[in-house]
Amino acid sequence: MIFTETPLAGAFIIDVERRVDERGFFARSWCEDEFAAHGIMLPPQQANVSSNPRRGTLRGMHYQLPPHEETKLVRCTRGAIHDVIVDLREESPTYGHWLGVDLTADSFRMLFVPGRFAHGFLTLADDTDVGYQVSAKYAPGAERGLRWDDPGLGIIWPLAPVLVSEKDRQHPDFVPAWPLAPTK
């Protein structure tokens, strides 16, 4: 696997290393030792799948409060998404900053999302499915969210969402613990 560190500390884009022959290719999408070598400990407690029939469906920005924070390994298994994460770790130099990356079924690219990050995505194609391994079980009392279009975060989405749940529309704006530097 090829790990590419992102500008947000602890978050990685992960590409599979394909072994190609006349049958197609074979690649590992998980290896405990390779992840540990990059400081990633993700003992999955839960695996989720999201099926989205319509292009422009937005899900997010979701997170869980400690001690139920979730680290996630996200991959688009059909279609395409624009995946976005926001660093909510107050001690982090990238606190309040966001990152967006396109994940497609064809690329097999994954995004590793550390705990205490908000996460969401926008579907870029009809009939898009997303699968992710999660380090913590869902805890309804710890579930929180940020507004996907919070002007303070300034997330740039590649297209206007056409479908957002009422629950996701009601998430509050991000209120930082201290003034933030502009997001790059």
Side-chain angles (χ1 to χ4, degrees):
M1 286 172 281
I2 302 163
F3 290 75
T4 303
E5 194 163 0
T6 72
L8 303 183
F12 289 88
I13 295 169
I14 303 167
D15 291 294
V16 298
E17 289 185 276
R18 300 174 188 213
R19 292 184 179 24
V20 180
D21 64 22
E22 65 277 0
R23 299 168 295 173
F25 79 85
F26 177 85
R28 287 187 295 172
S29 61
W30 171 257
C31 174
E32 183 179 20
D33 293 342
E34 285 190 53
F35 276 72
H38 290 86
I40 299 172
M41 305 308 288
L42 177 70
Q45 295 291 311
Q46 186 170 294
N48 301 331
V49 64
S50 171
S51 181
N52 307 275
R54 200 165 160 201
R55 178 180 189 257
T57 299
L58 189 136
R59 294 180 183 260
M61 299 294 299
H62 306 143
Y63 64 97
Q64 287 196 166
L65 296 174
H68 306 286
E69 64 266 31
E70 299 172 323
T71 58
K72 298 176 183 175
L73 183 60
V74 182
R75 186 168 84 80
C76 182
T77 56
R78 182 171 65 149
I81 63 171
H82 185 71
D83 208 16
V84 175
I85 57 176
V86 178
D87 188 349
L88 300 179
R89 303 168 299 176
E90 293 179 0
E91 71 282 2
S92 171
T94 57
Y95 174 62
H97 291 224
W98 63 272
L99 171 81
V101 62
D102 290 348
L103 303 178
T104 68
D106 293 340
S107 74
F108 292 86
R109 175 170 274 181
M110 298 174 283
L111 179 63
F112 174 75
V113 183
R116 297 173 51 213
F117 273 61
H119 172 252
F121 63 84
L122 177 69
T123 60
L124 303 176
D126 288 340
D127 300 317
T128 292
D129 296 337
V130 181
Y132 38 104
Q133 297 179 44
V134 185
S135 66
K137 296 175 186 165
Y138 173 66
E143 179 184 26
R144 297 291 186 276
L146 300 176
R147 205 172 93 212
W148 65 273
D149 60 349
D150 175 356
L153 288 172
I155 297 170
I156 299 169
W157 298 95
L159 57 102
V162 296
L163 183 59
V164 181
S165 73
E166 188 58 34
K167 182 178 180 179
D168 285 350
R169 289 176 205 257
Q170 299 302 318
H171 290 314
D173 285 345
F174 176 63
V175 180
W178 60 77
L180 298 174
T183 301
K184 307 256 188 247

